[in-house]
Structures are given as C-alpha cells and as structure tokens.
Amino acid sequence: MNFLAHLWLAEQSGTSMAGAILGDVVRGADLSAYPDDIAAGIRLHRQLDALTDRHPHIVALRNAQADGVRRYSGIVLDLVADYLLIADWSRYSAEPLPAFCARAGAAIAAASPWFLLAGGRSSSADGFAALLLSYGTPAGIERALWRTAQRLRQPQPLLDAGQHWTAMAEALRPQLPELLHALRAAAISSNRTKP
C-alpha cells in the first residue's frame, strides 16, 4: 500500500494520519521520541505493510512477474493500489477525494517537526494533497516510479518493473476490494487492542 491507502486505513481505524506516512520515513524500532498517537500510526503502517506483502493476492501477483523485476514489483503494486483506490474512491468513502486529500495534507503539514526529526522533509498541505491526487493519473504513477527509482542505488530494475504497471493494475483491480477489506479489519482490530 502506498500513501493514499495508508491514509485511508488510518482514517478507517481512527489512527494518526501522520504516523501512517511516517511509517515510510522513520527507521528503527525505538519510537520513544514520537507522541503516542504517531508512534501507534507508525507501528500500524509497518504491520499493514507486512500483511500486504504476505497477502496471497499480492504474493501471486509478485510471483507472476519476470525474475529480473519480481523483487521490485511490490513497490509498483503499492503505487498501483493507490491508482486503483482513486479510480473507485466512492466505493470506499463518502467524502470526496479532494476533500480527503486536503485534510490529509493538512495533517501531514501539521506534523512537519516529526518528519524533520525522522530525517525526512516537511510538506505543505497543498503540495501533499496534490501528490496524493496525482496517483490517480498514469503520468502521476510514472512520476512516482521515477522519483522512487532515483532513491535506489540501482534505479533501473524498478524502472523496468514499472514498465508493466498497467498490466499489474488490471491484475490487481478485481482483488483490491478483498485486500483492502482484510487490511481495514486488521487496522481496526489493531487499534482496538493497542495498550
């Protein structure tokens, strides 16, 4: 799951939107420097990533990829999930997508000190909302793939995997509702059982 899906899951489970994104930024297990709600959001993000990686649909989709790109197909599938979530947003939320993205952007901007503490960057509310909305377009997915690849030591394998993102989207489309339902149930359960 990428940013939008993590934010939607945070909303569904009543957990921190900032923590849902910081889960990709913060390194290590020691979360004592963060407020409790953000630390819980980071832990939930990590739990949901692990559940996604082990979900039978995702495992099957990754295994269907060629050997040279299989390792990177999980990153592509994360972005594809956001693309598909946007395409069918009204199925998952009564709130209009632009309003949800604006609210999420404001939450991320308000948490800028925690992003800087983690070694990340601060974001403006409008800039982050625009990033989320961009995942609904092919050009936005391709830009996200390129930006992500540039952060890797060897960007080409991810770029190669990304060439097949539309085929991966078509393969994931019928399975996404079941995947999101399973992740939503896990997120809600996790939030109910947290100390």
Side-chain angles (χ1 to χ4, degrees):
M1 298 293 110
N2 197 47
F3 290 160
L4 183 64
H6 273 292
L7 289 163
W8 179 78
L9 289 162
E11 178 83 2
Q12 296 294 301
S13 61
T15 54
S16 165
M17 284 186 158
I21 302 304
L22 276 163
D24 273 340
V25 181
V26 173
R27 301 290 170 238
D30 181 6
L31 303 178
S32 61
Y34 299 93
D36 289 345
D37 64 324
I38 290 180
I42 294 168
R43 282 190 290 276
L44 179 61
H45 176 111
R46 293 172 177 177
Q47 176 189 355
L48 294 173
D49 277 354
L51 288 171
T52 300
D53 289 345
R54 292 191 311 264
H55 193 279
H57 293 325
I58 297 299
V59 170
L61 288 169
R62 277 197 325 260
N63 288 341
Q65 304 307 308
D67 287 344
V69 298
R70 186 174 300 134
R71 177 176 178 215
Y72 297 89
S73 61
I75 297 169
V76 178
L77 287 167
D78 284 348
L79 289 164
V80 161
D82 275 9
Y83 176 80
L84 295 173
L85 180 57
I86 288 173
D88 209 9
W89 180 257
S90 63
R91 177 179 184 160
Y92 300 102
S93 178
E95 183 177 15
L97 179 63
F100 179 87
C101 292
R103 217 164 31 83
I108 300 310
S112 285
W114 304 113
F115 282 86
L116 295 172
L117 176 68
R121 304 181 296 161
S122 63
S123 295
S124 72
D126 290 344
F128 195 81
L131 175 69
L132 294 174
L133 289 167
S134 77
Y135 296 144
T137 67
I141 295 298
E142 289 165 13
R143 277 193 307 275
L145 286 165
W146 186 86
R147 282 191 310 266
T148 304
Q150 299 317 303
R151 293 194 300 265
L152 301 176
R153 253 178 281 188
Q154 296 181 9
Q156 196 58 50
L158 176 56
L159 294 172
D160 292 344
Q163 290 179 4
H164 309 287
W165 78 265
T166 56
M168 289 186 200
E170 288 311 306
L172 181 60
R173 185 181 304 275
Q175 300 167 348
L176 187 66
E178 181 184 332
L179 175 62
L180 288 176
H181 177 75
L183 293 174
R184 180 181 180 273
I188 290 170
S189 175
S190 176
N191 193 33
R192 284 187 187 141
T193 60
K194 71 181 181 186

